[in-house]
Amino acid sequence: MKKTRFTEAQIMGVLRQMEGGVSAAELCSEHGMSSATLYEWRAKYGGMDASLISEMKAMAEENRRLKRMYADVSMQNDLLKEALEKK
């Protein structure tokens, strides 16, 4: 997965500038990003502070890890059922 080149604090700073009245085009050219990225951040992180963003990312990582664990256990379960059916 591609990592962002902006930290949570930087994202929050850009969103605060946008809320402060700076135009989207000006922010995009200043920070070297697309307007789509800016509006995605606003939709995803609007109303959050930096601690909530880092907590959300940690929960997403844990969720990804748990999904992988479930897939492994499910595959082992299927293999065991298949082996029992053959006997």
Side-chain angles (χ1 to χ4, degrees), residues 31-70:
H31 295 285
M33 62 185 183
S34 70
S35 60
T37 301
L38 181 63
Y39 290 116
E40 283 178 20
W41 285 352
R42 188 175 71 175
K44 189 172 183 180
Y45 303 119
M48 291 186 184
D49 60 355
S51 64
L52 287 175
I53 292 175
S54 60
E55 184 179 333
M56 183 182 72
K57 287 187 176 188
M59 290 177 77
E61 176 63 27
E62 182 180 0
N63 192 22
R64 184 194 60 77
R65 186 181 56 80
L66 290 173
K67 283 181 180 181
R68 182 180 294 154
M69 285 173 51
Y70 174 78

Side-chain angles (χ1 to χ4, degrees), residues 3 6 12-13 20 28 31 35 44 50 61 63 72 82 84 87:
K3 297 233 179 197
F6 295 97
M12 293 308 302
C28 292
H31 295 285
S35 60
K44 189 172 183 180
E61 176 63 27
N63 192 22
D72 291 342
E82 190 176 300
L84 287 173
K87 287 185 177 184

